[in-house]
Amino acid sequence: MRSADTLFERVWSVVAKVPRGKVTTYGAIARALGSPGAARTVGWAMRAAPARSKLPCHRVVNATGELSPEDVFGGPDVQRSLLESEGVTFDMQGHVDMKRHLWIP
DNA sequence: GCCGTGACGATTC
DNA sequence: CGAATCGCCACGG
C-alpha cells in the first residue's frame, strides 16, 4: 500500500511532518507506526537517514527530552540552538520541555 | 533463518 | 542525577 516497505522511510516521512517549534520522541514515532517497541529502530533510521534530506532530525529527541549524543550533528549544542531558534524551550537540565513541545503524528 | 548492531525505554541501585 | 542492566524491534550480511 502507500506505506513504504521499510520502517526507515516511514520514519523519515513522519519526521518530515514535525511542525516547527515542536519535537517528537523516537518512541512516539515507533508507536505511531504501529511498533511501540521499535524505538531503537527509529533511532537507527535517523542514523541511516540521508544527511542531504530535509529531515529535521534535530526535532527528534528521546523520551526524556534529551538531545542526541555528541557523535551526531556535530554536538548537542547545535541541536539545542536550532530548537531554541524555533521557539522550543529547555529546562535546567538542558532537556526539552516535553509538556510544551511534544508533538505526536 | 541466525547473528550482530543500535540517534531507545524503562527500571534499579 | 549518574551509571548499569534488560528488553524490545527491525535491517544487513
Side-chain angles (χ1 to χ4, degrees), chain A residues 6-92:
Chain A
T6 63
L7 261 196
F8 286 44
E9 297 184 31
R10 284 198 281 194
V11 172
W12 301 334
S13 202
V14 173
V15 174
K17 289 169 194 166
V18 178
R20 178 172 167 275
K22 294 249 173 175
V23 297
T24 189
T25 70
Y26 303 98
I29 295 171
R31 220 167 148 97
L33 296 177
S35 302
R40 299 192 78 178
T41 314
V42 173
W44 196 19
M46 299 273 103
R47 198 44 148 137
R52 22 186 172 235
S53 257
K54 300 241 235 77
L55 290 180
C57 18
H58 59 266
R59 291 185 193 145
V60 185
V61 298
N62 55 28
T64 60
E66 176 108 35
L67 304 180
S68 310
E70 304 171 16
D71 293 52
V72 201
F73 273 107
D77 290 328
V78 179
Q79 190 175 6
R80 187 174 92 244
S81 285
L82 285 167
L83 292 171
E84 285 186 311
S85 205
E86 297 183 345
V88 178
T89 54
F90 291 76
D91 62 14
M92 281 190 354

